[in-house]
């Protein structure tokens, strides 16, 4: 069921984010503020965006070629094993995009750090847990909504047009990764 994919992505996101929030709460912020660590995070994140974009573009273009060769349906199988594989892939994407996104890390070590400090001052570790619970439900709501909207939209959009759109967005993602890499290396 495509509708559950957003929740699997959010769970992958949370699997990286929650330990990060706890680590920041315990003082890892000094380590990550080191220039070499910041540079490494920026370079790895930029390269990850470009690789993920290239993989997505390759997959979209491959599907287009197969469709042109009149392949029936090459989507993930509708059997239980295929559905589980699809949810596992969504979880992995959520985890990897979160962990390799330098802007995500910058957000938590700046704006998010302010929230963490206030939550600690308010109620120690219980404050962190409460703050995080209020934070994460929005991720689940947003990614679940996007997943359902995508599933509904796929019924309106032909598979060929969806693949073309996916390839175009993948190229944008590669461009964003390249721009980020240039800005990290020049800054």
């Amino acid at each position: 069921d495509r509708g559950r994919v957003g929740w699997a992505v959010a769970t992958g996101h949370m699997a990286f984010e929650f330990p990060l929030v706890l680590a920041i709460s315990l003082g890892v912020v000094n380590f990550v503020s080191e220039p070499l660590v910041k540079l490494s995070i920026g370079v790895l994140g930029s390269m990850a965006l470009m690789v993920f974009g290239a993989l997505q573009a390759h997959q979209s273009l491959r599907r287009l070629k197969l469709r042109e060769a009149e392949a029936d349906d090459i989507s993930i199988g509708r059997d239980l094993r295929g559905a589980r594989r699809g949810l596992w892939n969504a979880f992995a994407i959520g985890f990897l995009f979160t962990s390799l996104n330098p802007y995500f890390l910058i957000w938590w070590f700046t704006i998010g750090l302010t929230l963490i400090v206030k939550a600690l001052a308010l109620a120690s570790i219980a404050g962190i847990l409460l703050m995080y619970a209020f934070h994460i439900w929005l991720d689940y709501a947003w990614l679940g909504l996007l997943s359902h909207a995508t599933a509904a939209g796929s019924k309106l959009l032909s598979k060929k047009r969806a693949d073309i759109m996916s390839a175009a967005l993948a190229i944008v993602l590669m461009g964003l990764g390249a721009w980020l890499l240039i800005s990290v290396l020049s800054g």
Side-chain angles (χ1 to χ4, degrees):
D1 177 36
R2 289 183 179 177
R4 293 184 292 178
V5 169
W7 287 48
V9 170
T11 302
H13 169 78
M14 184 181 73
F16 181 83
E17 184 180 53
F18 185 61
L20 176 68
V21 169
L22 291 178
I24 293 170
S25 302
L26 299 174
V28 165
V29 70
N30 293 330
F31 170 73
V32 177
S33 65
E34 292 292 322
L36 183 59
V37 174
K38 280 184 179 178
L39 177 66
S40 299
I41 290 169
V43 168
L44 285 173
S46 303
M47 293 175 69
L49 286 175
M50 291 186 289
V51 168
F52 285 132
L55 290 172
Q56 181 64 38
H58 172 74
Q59 184 179 24
S60 298
L61 294 173
R62 193 183 95 207
R63 281 193 310 256
L64 277 170
K65 285 182 183 178
L66 286 172
R67 287 195 209 300
E68 287 175 3
E70 299 185 358
D72 275 318
D73 183 29
I74 60 161
S75 64
I76 294 175
R78 302 222 190 300
D79 63 351
L80 184 58
R81 191 180 65 195
R84 284 186 185 148
R85 187 175 342 117
L87 291 176
W88 171 251
N89 289 344
F91 173 87
I93 286 169
F95 185 87
L96 289 172
F97 268 105
T98 300
S99 63
L100 297 174
N101 179 349
Y103 289 119
F104 166 82
L105 296 172
I106 290 168
W107 189 91
W108 271 111
F109 285 103
T110 55
I111 299 164
L113 183 59
T114 304
L115 294 173
I116 289 170
V117 169
K118 289 183 185 226
L120 283 169
L122 178 66
S124 188
I125 197 69
I128 295 295
L129 296 175
L130 183 64
M131 177 273 301
Y132 191 75
F134 278 102
H135 166 82
I136 196 64
W137 83 267
L138 288 170
D139 290 337
Y140 275 93
W142 177 246
L143 292 170
L145 175 67
L146 285 179
S147 177
H148 284 290
T150 302
S154 69
K155 294 175 184 169
L156 301 173
L157 202 63
S158 74
K159 290 180 181 185
K160 182 177 179 178
R161 286 185 180 147
D163 287 334
I164 292 169
M165 186 183 302
S166 177
L169 291 173
I171 291 167
V172 170
L173 187 62
M174 289 186 292
L176 177 64
W179 173 79
L180 181 59
L181 182 62
I182 290 167
S183 67
V184 165
L185 295 176
S186 65

